[in-house]
């Protein structure tokens, strides 16, 4: 038995630099080099784009709690 991907997550226009997975909620949050952070389900459905302010363009770290709280650190 070899593991296989469940889904391919799409939507970023630039390279992805940070990702956080919350298996309890079935969420994946990813941040691109110059763009919004995207919230996907583990099965690949795009739920939301989280836009930063004009001073917060470069996400570097993402953390998601099992309660659904998301923290994003911008450079």
């Amino acid at each position: 038995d070899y593991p296989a991907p469940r889904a391919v997550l799409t939507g970023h226009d630039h390279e992805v630099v940070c990702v956080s997975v919350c298996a309890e909620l079935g969420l994946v949050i990813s941040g691109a080099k110059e763009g919004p952070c995207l919230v996907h389900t583990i099965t690949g459905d795009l739920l939301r784009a989280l836009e930063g302010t004009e001073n917060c363009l470069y996400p570097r770290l993402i953390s998601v709690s099992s309660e659904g709280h998301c923290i994003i650190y911008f450079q």
Side-chain angles (χ1 to χ4, degrees):
D1 292 325
Y2 295 100
R6 286 186 173 186
V8 176
L9 307 179
T10 61
H12 288 293
D13 294 329
H14 301 280
E15 68 183 90
V16 174
V17 294
C18 51
V19 176
S20 182
V21 178
C22 180
E24 295 89 359
L25 298 176
L27 296 176
V28 177
I29 302 179
S30 57
K33 187 174 184 179
E34 294 181 28
C37 294
L38 301 180
V39 182
H40 288 87
T41 63
I42 289 180
T43 58
D45 298 319
L46 177 62
L47 299 177
R48 181 174 302 265
L50 304 173
E51 298 276 350
T53 63
E54 60 188 47
N55 296 334
C56 299
L57 297 177
Y58 307 105
R60 292 297 171 243
L61 297 170
I62 298 175
S63 181
V64 183
S65 72
S66 58
E67 292 86 27
H69 300 285
C70 174
I71 297 173
I72 303 170
Y73 169 76
F74 290 90
Q75 182 175 350

